[in-house]
Amino acid sequence: MKTRIIAGTTLFFILVAVVLVNGSFPLILNILIALMSSVGVHEFCKAYSADSHKWLHIPSIIVAALVPFAGFVPNGVLLVYALYTLAVFFAVIRNHEELKFSEMIPVYGMTVIIPNALNFIVELRDINSEHGMFFAMLAILGPWIADSGAYFTGSFFGKHKLCPVISPKKTVEGFIGGIIVSVLAMLVAGLVFDKLYIVENLKFVYIALAICGVLNGFVSVVGDLSFSIIKREKGIKDYGKLIPGHGGILDRFDSVIFVAPFVYLVVKLFGI
């Protein structure tokens, strides 16, 4: 537990540093997301034993690293994935005896999902130069807060198992508690930001923050359970060992991958 807390605290301060540096060096967030995406794709390839197929593994990692920067080029994301599609299908054709189509598809799918989902954090930042980082942090910290709320609520009040086969420790009470804690945290975050950083053109729609809180609590559990199914199918405990006490990038950011697009959607729909 001590190692887990230290690692979690370190991650938090890294995010704080990114927020502070963003004003003078905005590319810092793009670089961070590129690193997270490429490591996440690598971890997935390793879980599926696809890391031995260099013609699939290496292009997948490169694409994951490029997506956060593709927005600087017109139709950049489309161009990146058009070339990537050619590359992976060429890999299957070239190495059809060793690399099966059924092995390529999961890696291809996750190389689309992971970088694009995490890139919504960059998109949230770019919504507004003055307060976009606030929205970006909601997408990252929101799922973690919901997860912590679910953990502690489940520890004290949990009696009914949510998904006993996939994740034996998750409870219905913890799930509900996570949503409640997440909603309260989003509302408090909005209130504090509104009071400390008065921005003339920014008016929080608190119903939108509450919706973000509900989504954090619900969607993060879906993301966590989805990646847990993969680990169970592949017989692995963690995706990696990069973050002591937490596992790999996919172990820590699985819920963020699912939540970030929804936070972006809410922010855009409500015009915050």
Side-chain angles (χ1 to χ4, degrees):
M1 179 60 73
K2 182 179 178 181
T3 302
R4 186 180 178 88
I5 292 174
I6 292 174
T9 304
T10 302
L11 280 175
F12 175 76
F13 280 111
I14 289 174
L15 292 177
V16 171
V18 170
V19 172
L20 295 176
V21 174
N22 181 72
S24 57
F25 185 53
L27 279 179
I28 186 67
L29 183 62
N30 301 70
I31 294 171
L32 180 64
I33 298 301
L35 289 172
M36 289 168 50
S37 299
S38 55
V39 172
V41 168
H42 166 69
E43 290 174 351
F44 186 84
C45 287
K46 192 173 181 180
Y48 265 77
S49 301
D51 55 327
S52 60
H53 301 296
K54 63 179 182 179
W55 290 95
L56 174 63
H57 183 213
I58 295 176
S60 299
I61 292 176
I62 293 173
V63 165
L66 288 177
V67 168
F69 301 98
F72 295 113
V73 179
N75 299 314
V77 174
L78 177 61
L79 176 62
V80 166
Y81 279 105
L83 294 174
Y84 175 63
T85 301
L86 285 176
V88 295
F89 277 89
F90 173 77
V92 173
I93 294 170
R94 184 181 184 277
N95 307 282
H96 61 277
E97 293 183 355
E98 297 85 19
L99 177 59
K100 305 300 181 184
F101 185 81
S102 57
E103 295 175 315
M104 178 271 287
I105 287 299
V107 174
Y108 179 87
M110 280 300 179
T111 305
V112 173
I113 292 171
I114 293 172
N116 277 290
L118 290 176
N119 192 48
F120 274 105
I121 297 171
V122 176
E123 297 288 340
L124 282 164
R125 190 274 313 272
D126 292 342
I127 284 177
N128 187 281
S129 59
E130 293 182 3
H131 51 261
M133 279 301 291
F134 174 77
F135 301 129
M137 290 302 102
L138 287 185
I140 297 175
L141 297 178
W144 293 357
I145 292 171
D147 181 58
S148 299
Y151 174 79
F152 288 107
T153 305
S155 298
F156 286 104
F157 305 107
K159 294 181 179 180
H160 303 87
K161 299 295 183 182
L162 183 64
C163 292
V165 176
I166 301 173
S167 185
K169 295 183 179 180
K170 291 190 183 299
T171 64
V172 175
E173 292 81 4
F175 172 66
I176 296 172
I179 293 177
I180 293 173
V181 170
S182 179
V183 171
L184 292 175
M186 292 301 101
L187 294 176
V188 170
L191 182 63
V192 170
F193 188 90
D194 210 9
K195 297 298 182 182
L196 294 181
Y197 302 96
I198 301 174
V199 183
E200 294 182 3
N201 297 324
L202 174 63
K203 182 179 182 181
F204 280 113
V205 181
Y206 284 93
I207 186 64
L209 291 175
I211 292 173
C212 282
V214 173
L215 289 173
N216 286 336
F218 177 75
V219 178
S220 63
V221 171
V222 175
D224 187 16
L225 292 175
S226 297
F227 277 94
S228 293
I229 289 176
I230 298 171
K231 287 192 288 187
R232 182 169 291 275
E233 287 181 354
K234 294 302 174 182
I236 58 176
K237 183 179 182 295
D238 295 315
Y239 283 101
K241 299 179 180 179
L242 181 64
I243 309 172
H246 294 266
I249 288 294
L250 294 183
D251 295 292
R252 180 67 277 181
F253 289 88
D254 49 3
S255 54
V256 176
I257 290 169
F258 274 66
V259 168
F262 285 95
V263 175
Y264 179 83
L265 184 62
V266 171
V267 172
K268 293 295 286 185
L269 285 177
F270 281 84
I272 299 177

